[in-house]
Each structure stands twice: as C-alpha cells, then as structure tokens.
Amino acid sequence: SAGLELSINNHTADFTLSTLSTGPAISLSCLVHNSSQAEELLWYRGEGQVGLKDGNKVNISNICISPVNESDNGVTFTCRLARDKSVQVSVILDVKFPPKLSGEETLHVEEDKDVTLTCNSKSNPQAQTTWYKDSHDLTLQQNRHELYQTSEIFRLSIRKVQKSDNGTYTCVVESSFGNGTRSFHLIVEDKKPVFPKEAVIAAVVVVTITILFGIVARKDKFFKVW
C-alpha cells in the first residue's frame, strides 16, 4: 500500500465539515489515489463499521447521511483501505443546532426553604443564558441567588425564599442559531407550624409512667382477682 492515498470529498487530510441540523443530506465520497489495482474501501461511523452494498466498495465509495440531526454532531466518519487500515482519512461533523427549550412549570415552596430552577438544553454553538423575573432582568442578591451553568444545564438557586420572591422566572437561552425559553411560576407559601415533637414525647412518657404507677398502686386488687 506504499504510495496509496485516500481522500474524502477531495480532502486528503482529516477535516471538519460544518452543516445545519435542518440542512440538506450530506454526501461523502472516498477515493483511492495512486492505485495500480482494485482496492476495497471500508467506512466507519465512530468505531462502528458502515454496511456498504456491492459495487460501492472498490476504488471509490460513497455514503449519504440523511437526515442530519444533532446526534451527528462531533461524530467522526472514516474511510480506510481494507488491506491496510492504517491508510485512512476522516471527517468530523460539526452540526449546528439551536437550543430546544420550552414550556412552563409551577412550583409551590414554603417560606424560608431553598428552591432550584433548572433549564436543560443542548445547542451548538453553546448558548448563553439570561434569567428574568416578571419580564425584568433578575437582580441577583449576594448569598441568596446562585447561578450554575454548563454546556447543557442552566440553574438558578434561591436560598430561604421570601414572599417577595413570588413571581414568574424565565430562563432565556440564546445562540446564533435560535433561542429557547422556559418559565417557572414560583408561589411562596406561609411557613407551616413546627409540630412540637419534644412535647409529644414528654406527654407520652408522662402518660406511660402514670399508668405504671396506677398498676403498681392497685397490684393487690389485680392479684386478688386473679
């Protein structure tokens, strides 16, 4: 296989191909260069081999990716020479897609409890997030509000909610390919009275001791009846 070379869509070196998740199908054509005989070609998606029909394996081989979706983002397609798999060339798909985020949720939280609002959304390129309260920019209070963000998770935590925290919180996720939103209707309820467990335990103990004393005081009558 010395001197043999492969190309995908006229690229002899590994390359990245950008496309849209809503775009047309992708055609990849692998071609053998400097061949003096028939050479069989193999295609791989990641580590898995792609099945090819007869007549689409020798010296030139074509595959089609349709439809293209977000699960194809970052996937590597590799063309290899069957008799010498070290002869290969790869293409990495860079699939652009907007954040997918929608809907609303109502949360009932007791006053002085903590609450966390979470938006889960993937996008390529990575999106930026802004939080709003009642359609206005959310004013973050130190030690009460905390923001957490990764490429897929956007989280707002509020410590010890107060009645002033009542309202609609909106997570707006924006990228160059589109936006997504999700709303949370936060309802802060009155604190529930704490049930006095210690008092109940003490009462049970007192009643139990009273019963025992009563039994001891009347033990002679019990034995006589027996």
Side-chain angles (χ1 to χ4, degrees):
S1 58
L4 287 181
E5 190 176 47
L6 303 182
S7 69
I8 296 178
N9 292 8
N10 298 321
H11 292 265
T12 55
D14 296 350
F15 69 104
T16 299
L17 179 61
S18 294
T19 186
L20 298 176
S21 60
T22 56
I26 294 176
S27 295
L28 302 177
S29 179
C30 182
L31 180 65
V32 179
H33 300 271
N34 307 321
S35 172
S36 59
Q37 63 183 57
E39 297 286 356
E40 183 180 353
L41 298 172
L42 305 174
W43 274 103
Y44 291 82
R45 185 188 191 276
E47 297 300 321
Q49 189 170 344
V50 178
L52 299 174
K53 294 182 179 180
D54 292 337
N56 188 30
K57 300 179 180 180
V58 179
N59 288 347
I60 185 170
S61 179
N62 301 286
I63 62 172
C64 181
I65 305 163
S66 178
V68 180
N69 56 52
E70 60 188 64
S71 65
D72 295 313
N73 183 48
V75 173
T76 300
F77 285 85
T78 303
C79 180
R80 293 189 175 116
L81 199 66
R83 66 184 178 93
D84 185 355
K85 294 183 177 61
S86 66
V87 180
Q88 64 175 42
V89 63
S90 298
V91 54
I92 301 174
L93 297 189
D94 177 28
V95 181
K96 310 291 187 183
F97 57 93
K100 294 182 178 179
L101 189 66
S102 62
E104 57 185 49
E105 183 178 351
T106 299
L107 300 173
H108 296 263
V109 182
E110 187 179 331
E111 195 173 8
D112 278 346
K113 298 289 187 180
D114 298 342
V115 66
T116 297
L117 314 178
T118 302
C119 293
N120 296 315
S121 178
K122 294 193 300 182
S123 62
N124 182 35
Q126 184 175 340
Q128 297 297 318
T129 306
T130 306
W131 284 92
Y132 296 90
K133 182 188 176 187
D134 298 328
S135 302
H136 296 90
D137 288 341
L138 176 63
T139 302
L140 300 179
Q141 298 179 24
Q142 191 174 8
N143 300 326
R144 283 231 313 129
H145 296 98
E146 181 180 345
L147 295 178
Y148 173 81
Q149 178 172 331
T150 68
S151 60
E152 299 181 17
I153 300 173
F154 312 98
R155 184 179 299 154
L156 169 65
S157 297
I158 307 174
R159 295 184 67 250
K160 295 185 177 180
V161 296
Q162 305 167 1
K163 286 298 181 68
S164 59
D165 293 317
N166 269 310
T168 298
Y169 293 78
T170 304
C171 166
V172 179
V173 183
E174 301 176 283
S175 80
S176 54
F177 288 90
N179 303 332
T181 63
R182 184 171 180 81
S183 294
F184 301 86
H185 304 293
L186 182 62
I187 300 173
V188 181
E189 300 177 337
D190 293 334
K191 289 182 65 174
K192 297 176 182 177
V194 179
F195 198 68
K197 292 189 295 183
E198 294 80 2
V200 172
I201 294 173
V204 170
V205 171
V206 169
V207 170
T208 303
I209 292 174
T210 302
I211 293 173
L212 289 175
F213 276 126
I215 293 174
V216 170
R218 303 180 67 186
K219 65 180 186 301
D220 293 339
K221 184 175 182 178
F222 289 148
F223 287 137
K224 185 177 180 179
V225 172
W226 178 260

